[in-house]
Amino acid sequence: MNSNYNDIIDIILTFASDEEIKDCILISGSIVPYLVMNKESNEYHTDFYILVKNKKIGLIRDKIKKLSKEYEFDIISDSKKHSKEDFGFKIKYQGTIVGFFPYSLIDNNLTIKTYAINKDNTKISLKRKMIPEVKKSTVIKFINFSKTKIRILSPEFIMADKETKEKSVGNPTDETMYILNKISDESVLKVVRESVANTSVKITNKEIKEKNYVLLTVLGALILLLLIIAYICFKK
């Protein structure tokens, strides 16, 4: 599969140029070490995602809906449509899918909310991951990008997180892990590894019920008709 590096850069540039957006997001995934090194990647990054401050996820969603009128940003799924809680949404740009997921860092506890929908679109899994004893300085970094600064999830955190997972095919690649190791501060990495090792995860599975748009339309028409009748009767 061809590299999606240029598409990812286009996405980041779009958000980095918006003052209201860039201060609310954290760039994450295997693209991070290449951004830190200012090195072009020849890989296809399937794990590129953006963390959003929990209180700002609604703002970012609305911003992207507006941006979609100018750019090819299509929201392809949204946890809020299928559950009562907001666990983020996903967009597609060219061939790259990007997840926007809420996070919070309170009292040194990092909480990240994500979701997944099964292939049949019948169930949604809401995942809440809490990493304890995390200092802001160890997980959030600023780097120069184009003519501005962007916030990234630290290489140390990304490396520690990937080390705990069974390696998926081709991602992360040996080159990605090599660069992560090269740019990580060993003392920070040691602390972050301990926190990641004590991660707690809560997953809630819910059935997706498709909305009956025909029924909703009929009900809406009936309500409108009743309002008109009530108005006419009131005038008499």
Side-chain angles (χ1 to χ4, degrees):
M1 189 174 287
N2 295 329
S3 169
N4 59 344
Y5 175 79
N6 289 330
D7 290 341
I8 289 176
I9 295 302
D10 286 345
I11 294 169
I12 297 174
L13 279 171
T14 300
F15 298 139
S17 63
D18 189 308
E19 293 295 328
E20 196 171 16
I21 288 181
K22 75 172 187 176
D23 293 331
C24 303
I25 61 176
L26 279 173
I27 307 300
S28 188
S30 58
I31 191 64
V32 165
Y34 296 92
L35 296 175
V36 174
M37 294 290 288
N38 193 25
K39 174 182 171 66
E40 185 171 347
S41 170
N42 294 318
E43 302 176 16
Y44 188 89
H45 299 270
T46 59
D47 64 338
F48 171 51
Y49 61 96
I50 296 175
L51 296 182
V52 182
K53 290 180 180 179
N54 192 58
K55 293 181 179 180
K56 298 292 185 178
I57 189 71
L59 168 69
I60 300 301
R61 180 186 280 104
D62 291 340
K63 278 273 188 178
I64 288 178
K65 286 179 180 178
K66 292 178 181 178
L67 286 171
S68 66
K69 297 176 181 178
E70 183 178 354
Y71 303 96
E72 297 177 25
F73 295 149
D74 298 318
I75 296 180
I76 57 173
S77 70
D78 193 334
S79 65
K80 200 172 181 181
K81 287 185 177 180
H82 302 302
S83 68
K84 294 181 180 179
E85 298 182 79
D86 196 341
F87 278 66
F89 58 94
K90 297 175 184 178
I91 71 169
K92 187 174 184 179
Y93 174 73
Q94 303 294 350
T96 298
I97 294 176
V98 190
F100 287 78
F101 303 121
Y103 84 93
S104 62
L105 183 51
I106 303 172
D107 296 330
N108 291 337
N109 291 315
L110 175 63
T111 301
I112 300 173
K113 296 190 292 185
T114 60
Y115 74 96
I117 297 175
N118 67 354
K119 292 181 179 179
D120 297 328
N121 290 318
T122 56
K123 291 184 180 180
I124 183 171
S125 297
L126 306 175
K127 182 177 180 181
R128 189 189 305 268
K129 183 164 65 173
M130 197 278 284
I131 305 96
E133 301 301 321
V134 173
K135 291 183 179 180
K136 185 176 181 180
S137 60
T138 63
V139 293
I140 300 176
K141 304 289 184 183
F142 285 87
I143 62 169
N144 292 318
F145 180 78
S146 187
K147 296 179 180 180
T148 186
K149 287 184 179 293
I150 60 171
R151 301 161 79 242
I152 62 168
L153 206 58
S154 72
E156 292 85 2
F157 183 86
I158 292 173
M159 184 169 183
D161 184 55
K162 289 187 178 300
E163 287 174 341
T164 64
K165 299 174 181 177
E166 183 178 349
K167 185 176 179 181
S168 57
V169 179
N171 193 18
T173 62
D174 291 338
E175 181 183 7
T176 296
M177 294 303 288
Y178 171 77
I179 299 175
L180 281 170
N181 186 61
K182 184 178 179 180
I183 63 179
S184 293
D185 183 309
E186 190 60 40
S187 61
V188 174
L189 183 58
K190 181 180 179 181
V191 174
V192 173
R193 277 172 174 156
E194 291 179 4
S195 297
V196 171
N198 292 315
T199 296
S200 61
V201 178
K202 179 182 178 182
I203 299 177
T204 303
N205 295 310
K206 294 185 177 183
E207 290 188 3
I208 295 176
K209 296 179 180 180
E210 292 295 330
K211 293 181 179 179
N212 191 327
Y213 291 103
V214 174
L215 179 60
L216 290 175
T217 301
V218 172
L219 288 174
L222 286 173
I223 292 172
L224 180 60
L225 179 61
L226 289 172
L227 288 173
I228 293 172
I229 293 172
Y231 176 74
I232 295 172
C233 292
F234 179 77
K235 286 189 70 178
K236 291 180 178 180

